[in-house]
Amino acid sequence: MPFNFVNGTMVILVDDSTGTARNLGTAIDTCSPVGKQVDELETTTFADAAERFIAGIEKSRQVTLGGPFNSTVGVLIPDNLYSTLLGTIQTVEFAPAGTASGKRKITGEFLASSYQVITVNKQLARWEAVHRLDGTINQTGTY
C-alpha cells in the first residue's frame, strides 16, 4: 500500500559554494518533477509492421525550484545562496517525505543554470532557480 505525504515535509538540500548542504525546503513551494528519463531510439525497418524502439542513454533533466521571495537579513534565502552558485555544479538532494530514518532520498550533481526574481505589481514576489542534471541521478538512497 503506498503512503501519501503532505509536501510540507519536503527537504531540498543544495550545496553552497563551500560544499555545505543548505536546506531550502522552507523557502520552496514548487519543485518540478525529479527522476530519470532515457532517450528513445527508433529502430523501425521496412520489414516491421509498427514502430520499434530501444532505450538510449539517460537524459539530462532540468529541475526548477521556486518560492516566495524573502529579503529578511540573516535568513538563508535563495538570493544569497544562488549569487555564488550560478554556473557551478553542486550536489542537490531531494527528500520528498523528509529526512527521517528510512525515508527516500534522490541525489545528483546539478549545474545551477539560472536564478531570477519574478515580480508583478501588487502580487507576491517570487524566486526561481533552474538546475540541469550533470550525469546520472541516484533514486535509490535512503536516510
Side-chain angles (χ1 to χ4, degrees):
M1 171 184 231
F3 293 97
N4 295 321
F5 60 90
V6 176
N7 209 10
T9 60
M10 170 182 67
V11 173
I12 297 181
L13 302 170
V14 177
D15 281 359
D16 66 14
S17 59
T18 67
T20 303
R22 302 293 182 181
N23 183 4
L24 289 180
T26 59
I28 294 173
D29 64 8
T30 58
C31 177
S32 64
V34 178
K36 291 187 177 194
Q37 181 178 357
V38 295
D39 283 323
E40 301 166 350
L41 307 172
E42 186 176 0
T43 61
T44 309
T45 67
F46 287 112
D48 292 324
E51 288 183 322
R52 298 181 57 102
F53 295 89
I54 61 171
I57 64 171
E58 188 176 325
K59 287 185 159 201
S60 175
R61 299 291 304 262
Q62 179 173 294
V63 176
T64 303
L65 306 175
F69 181 76
N70 181 351
S71 61
T72 305
V73 175
V75 173
L76 172 65
I77 56 173
D79 206 42
N80 294 341
L81 181 64
Y82 285 101
S83 66
T84 60
L85 290 184
L86 277 183
T88 66
I89 294 174
Q90 70 281 336
T91 301
V92 180
E93 187 172 300
F94 301 89
T99 58
S101 179
K103 297 292 185 184
R104 181 173 172 215
K105 68 177 172 180
I106 304 166
T107 57
E109 299 295 309
F110 288 82
L111 170 67
S113 59
S114 169
Y115 174 78
Q116 56 190 347
V117 176
I118 305 147
T119 58
V120 177
N121 194 27
K122 296 186 181 179
Q123 291 186 14
L124 182 66
R126 299 188 50 79
W127 66 271
E128 180 180 273
V130 178
H131 298 264
R132 171 70 66 177
L133 179 62
D134 181 48
T136 189
I137 196 165
N138 179 1
Q139 297 189 132
T140 59
T142 57
Y143 288 96

